[in-house]
Amino acid sequence: MTVRWGVIGTGGIARSFVGDCTAAGIEFVAVGSRTAAGAEAFAAELAIPRAHGSYEDLVADDEVNAVYVATPHSRHAADALLAIEAGKHVLVEKAFTITADEARRVVDAARRADVAVMEAMWTRFLPQMAMIRELVSEGRIGRVRLVEATHHQALPSDPAHRLNDPELGGGALLDLGIYPVSFAVDVLGVPTSVVAAGTLSDQGVDTQMGLVLTHEGGTQSMLHFGLDLASPNTASIIGEDGRIDLDSTWFTPTTWRLRDRDGRVVEEFDGREELAGYAHEARAFESMVESGTHEGGPMDPEETIAIMALMDEARRQVGVRYRADGARARAR
């Protein structure tokens, strides 16, 4: 099956994803926006043949068989379900949804429709992460005891910006924290306990948050993220016999070093690429579609649901609530 992509949403992440993937030879045939003018402008800029003035028209396009959802977090579940109901395979930008309940509904709908669904956590598909997983599994740093990772950016402080609006799933966790959280789960598995502390804005979203995760066997992850400050954004996987240090910016194509327990460099890798690196996740998703194997791989849907549940608990401890949380409580 030739995968022909449609895009829901025309914001910055959609532009970056489509531009990078197009340069790598991936085919986009249509874009959908809330307005015809928005869709037409995006299509003209990125040489996409067809523009649709609604998401409904995009998923009804017979030429489209896979959809990339790039709308705000608060729309991810609804837009993914819209595409699934139209029989399309769906790649959903991270964070996958607002809550674990929403994530479960999307994954269950995809299974019923027999279509692929995956969270677009692009870091997991970078070549550097495949190599790091192999180093850890081979025991090159001994038993892993600790993962450390940060993600800080100095982002717009305008209360009306989507990052600061609780109605749109604003806050540091869903936009920035998802990277170190997913990284920790990738290396150490789903944690057995979560301890969270954070600072809230006047709008009630988290401007910064710290997490201590305890994983099976007593290993820990120490993660910090914030949307009102900048930092080097580095990460380390620390074992009893050595460590792996990922340089800034660790969740993009970057450089890393394997060190022995005395800190000496024994191996290093330069993973920086000419392109941004989004094409790796797109190619992996295309392989799922083409093979008919709709789950598994570096970003399995069940792990996505577990990560969303972890983040639900972190938000609960810090005091961040979204409308979707209220809907869940009413449903129960």
Side-chain angles (χ1 to χ4, degrees):
M1 173 189 292
T2 299
V3 178
R4 300 180 303 277
W5 290 83
V7 183
I8 290 180
T10 56
I13 186 60
R15 183 171 287 103
S16 297
F17 179 85
V18 173
D20 194 60
C21 291
T22 298
I26 293 167
E27 182 182 12
F28 292 85
V29 298
V31 59
S33 179
R34 290 174 296 178
T35 67
E40 289 166 3
F42 190 91
E45 176 185 350
L46 292 161
I48 296 175
R50 289 188 302 288
H52 298 288
S54 73
Y55 303 151
E56 290 79 7
D57 288 348
L58 182 281
V59 301
D61 189 328
D62 290 337
E63 290 299 309
V64 172
N65 54 23
V67 171
Y68 169 59
V69 173
T71 48
H73 307 306
S74 55
R75 288 200 56 96
H76 283 184
D79 294 335
L81 289 169
L82 181 72
I84 290 166
E85 289 164 6
K88 312 300 184 185
H89 305 282
V90 188
L91 178 66
V92 185
E93 187 51 53
K94 53 80 196 155
F96 190 68
T97 52
I98 290 283
T99 68
D101 282 354
E102 286 187 346
R104 172 60 69 188
R105 290 202 301 273
V106 171
V107 171
D108 287 349
R111 287 170 175 161
R112 289 193 299 270
D114 193 26
V115 297
V117 65
M118 189 178 83
E119 181 179 14
M121 175 45 67
W122 66 300
T123 302
R124 290 206 176 196
F125 298 89
L126 297 175
Q128 69 200 35
M129 282 308 304
M131 298 176 74
I132 287 168
R133 288 187 201 104
E134 185 174 354
L135 292 174
V136 170
S137 68
E138 290 175 348
R140 296 285 299 280
I141 59 172
R143 187 167 76 93
V144 177
R145 298 293 301 278
L146 176 65
V147 168
E148 297 178 326
T150 61
H151 187 182
H152 303 102
Q153 295 190 42
L155 297 171
S157 59
D158 178 3
H161 193 283
R162 73 161 186 88
L163 289 168
N164 305 304
D165 186 350
E167 293 296 310
L168 298 178
L173 178 60
L174 293 187
D175 252 276
L176 309 182
I178 180 67
Y179 285 95
V181 167
S182 189
F183 177 66
V185 173
D186 190 7
V187 176
L188 294 175
V190 177
T192 56
S193 70
V194 179
V195 177
T199 303
L200 304 188
S201 70
D202 292 340
Q203 289 73 44
V205 302
D206 55 303
T207 56
Q208 60 176 320
M209 192 184 295
L211 302 180
V212 178
L213 311 180
T214 300
H215 304 260
E216 185 177 355
T219 59
Q220 288 190 323
S221 304
M222 298 183 65
L223 317 173
H224 199 275
F225 40 92
L227 50 72
D228 59 352
L229 69 161
S231 80
N233 291 331
T234 57
S236 292
I237 303 169
I238 303 169
E240 293 177 341
D241 298 327
R243 71 178 192 266
I244 302 168
D245 293 328
L246 289 81
D247 296 321
S248 181
T249 302
W250 68 265
F251 47 84
T252 68
T254 190
T255 53
W256 57 258
R257 285 168 307 285
L258 171 67
R259 297 181 183 272
D260 64 20
R261 64 185 307 161
D262 296 319
R264 292 185 295 263
V265 176
V266 296
E267 188 173 334
E268 53 191 333
F269 175 72
D270 187 339
R272 290 171 292 185
E273 301 179 356
E274 182 179 348
L275 300 176
Y278 293 110
H280 296 293
E281 66 178 350
R283 289 296 191 203
F285 186 74
E286 288 185 338
S287 294
M288 290 172 60
V289 171
E290 291 163 353
S291 69
T293 304
H294 294 162
E295 300 190 22
M299 196 69 256
D300 184 77
E302 286 297 325
E303 191 162 282
T304 287
I305 294 168
I307 288 169
M308 293 307 309
L310 183 168
M311 296 198 297
D312 284 351
E313 174 60 17
R315 287 194 299 107
R316 186 194 67 78
Q317 292 183 28
V318 173
V320 178
R321 288 189 60 81
Y322 298 132
R323 183 177 295 180
D325 295 309
R328 176 179 54 183
R330 288 192 297 273
R332 291 176 178 171

